[in-house]
Amino acid sequence: APIDLTEQLEQVDGATKRLHVARDHHRLFLGVGWSPVTSDETGPFAVTIQGDAEVLLPCGEGDCRTIAVQLWSDAGQRVDITVNGAHLDPLTVGAGWSVYRVAIPASARHVGMNSLVIGPQRPVRLADISVDHAVRSTRPSE
């Protein structure tokens, strides 16, 4: 039977989960193209060391409609985003740390592990990825 990792992300609130690169078991979600996790005065991060760097995102039913990616760049640049082979609109990343929201169409995501590829022109740092979490109503249907 397959292993379900969709509940391994850190629950931030009822609507958000987080992949935090400094958490030991979250490092396992960093695929090829990343440096080992390091830190500076602002906190922990991983750096892209290849043209494309993959993050494995576990998504439950209805999750991952949008994600927020916390990136640092030394200068403005274009960053290509691909999810499960589908090319999304590229990000324009400014200098310094910022959070960039990315909408992932239903046709590009699925329940289970999803491949998020970040393709910068020059190396960028990744700190966290926040994933929207499908909130299920506990009220009976009317």
Side-chain angles (χ1 to χ4, degrees):
I3 298 172
D4 181 5
L5 297 175
T6 59
E7 296 302 320
Q8 291 302 306
L9 299 185
E10 175 185 12
Q11 190 76 42
V12 175
D13 56 36
T16 310
K17 293 180 182 179
R18 178 173 76 155
L19 184 152
H20 184 31
V21 299
R23 292 189 71 173
D24 286 342
H25 68 286
H26 286 188
R27 292 178 194 178
L28 300 175
F29 294 117
L30 295 180
V32 297
W34 295 101
S35 71
V37 173
T38 187
S39 64
D40 63 12
E41 64 278 357
T42 61
F45 56 86
V47 179
T48 56
I49 56 173
Q50 290 181 194
D52 289 331
E54 183 180 32
V55 177
L56 302 174
L57 278 182
C59 298
E61 182 70 41
D63 293 349
C64 301
R65 293 177 311 270
T66 59
I67 60 173
V69 182
Q70 186 178 17
L71 297 173
W72 179 92
S73 177
D74 60 358
Q77 66 170 305
R78 175 185 144 142
V79 174
D80 292 323
I81 301 291
T82 305
V83 176
N84 297 324
H87 298 282
L88 307 183
D89 291 336
L91 301 174
T92 301
V93 178
W97 283 108
S98 291
V99 174
Y100 302 92
R101 293 196 62 78
V102 177
I104 302 176
S107 61
R109 60 183 150 81
H110 56 262
V111 174
M113 288 305 239
N114 290 261
S115 170
L116 167 67
V117 176
I118 297 174
Q121 296 167 321
R122 293 179 304 283
V124 295
R125 297 177 185 179
L126 169 69
D128 292 324
I129 298 177
S130 296
V131 173
D132 72 325
H133 173 59
V135 179
R136 287 152 184 87
S137 173
T138 56
R139 296 185 332 179
S141 57
E142 300 177 40

